[in-house]
Amino acid sequence: QKEVEQNSGPLSVPEGAIASLNCTYSDRGSQSFFWYRQYSGKSPELIMFIYSNGDKEDGRFTAQLNKASQYVSLLIRDSQPSDSATYLCAVLVGSSGSARQLTFGSGTQLTVLP
Amino acid sequence: GAGVSQSPSNKVTEKGKDVELRCDPISGHTALYWYRQSLGQGLEFLIYFQGNSAPDKSGLPSDRFSAERTGGSVSTLTIQRTQQEDSAVYLCASSLVNQPQHFGDGTRLSIL
């Protein structure tokens, strides 16, 4: 089982709709969770991070974390064509005192249709 | 402020040659990471430096790969005797401890 799993997509939504991106992780001790956006040919760009159970909102983006279910999601409201990109879920793995590393899922490709 | 800087942005070399890739992290960031991303694939962790601690080299794919970080700042990733399967984008990221990572623009490496 991969440590961080995402549906590879592609996921297509119409402009103005809500895009829902999902991610599960295997390390129950993980504490920090990140969503990166990567445009084709570009490097990943951090868009959200969440540490506590529940929702965290930033503009059109909402990150949701459920540690009991080992599940983190990203909602994009009022999707725009400019949101079309690959979205990478990343989880900080490793225990206190040991080296920690960010483990990435393989990404979900999102296309927002005009 | 200045972000993570990587050089060169593109590198084309012949199979069997050695290459050096450079990363200059954000000033003050103690953590530095190297990743590799092949075309259409996710990010593959290579190596992690944190302050003066021994680096986590668990992601290096073979002993042809090595990295160092001098003075707790600039890092160099070296690939010896390059192979065609080494072709990828090599990404460097830096962060404060346990904080989100910020990525450079990467080095696109092509092995002929």
Side-chain angles (χ1 to χ4, degrees), chain A residues 32 34 36 38 41 43-44 46 49 51 88 92 99-102 104-106, chain B residues 33 35 37 42-43 45 48 56 58 91 98-105 108:
Chain A
S32 305
F34 307 87
Y36 285 82
Q38 187 174 27
S43 61
L46 179 71
F49 60 90
Y51 303 141
L88 299 167
L92 195 64
R100 296 192 180 203
Q101 56 177 267
L102 205 60
F104 284 83
S106 55
Chain B
Y33 304 77
Y35 297 90
Q37 189 172 34
L43 274 72
F45 166 77
Y48 160 55
D56 176 357
S58 60
L91 290 161
N98 294 338
Q99 293 300 304
Q101 297 180 13
H102 299 270
F103 285 83
D105 289 337
R108 186 173 301 275

Side-chain angles (χ1 to χ4, degrees), chain B:
Chain B
V4 177
S5 176
Q6 291 188 245
S7 61
S9 55
N10 286 283
K11 177 70 175 180
V12 180
T13 193
E14 293 179 349
K15 177 181 172 182
K17 301 285 189 183
D18 298 351
V19 294
E20 283 190 354
L21 311 179
R22 176 188 168 104
C23 174
D24 199 343
I26 293 173
S27 178
H29 281 192
T30 54
L32 186 148
Y33 304 77
W34 283 98
Y35 297 90
R36 178 169 70 174
Q37 189 172 34
S38 300
L39 188 63
Q41 302 296 311
L43 274 72
E44 176 189 5
F45 166 77
L46 297 177
I47 188 168
Y48 160 55
F49 295 90
Q50 172 54 48
N52 295 320
S53 302
D56 176 357
K57 303 179 182 180
S58 60
L60 294 178
S62 78
D63 59 8
R64 296 185 297 105
F65 288 72
S66 63
E68 62 178 21
R69 188 180 186 191
T70 53
S73 181
V74 173
S75 177
T76 302
L77 176 69
T78 301
I79 309 173
Q80 296 177 307
R81 305 181 303 280
T82 51
Q83 303 295 313
Q84 287 187 329
E85 62 262 29
D86 300 333
S87 296
V89 176
Y90 288 81
L91 290 161
C92 176
S94 73
S95 74
L96 297 171
V97 177
N98 294 338
Q99 293 300 304
Q101 297 180 13
H102 299 270
F103 285 83
D105 289 337
T107 293
R108 186 173 301 275
L109 177 63
S110 300
I111 309 300
L112 302 177

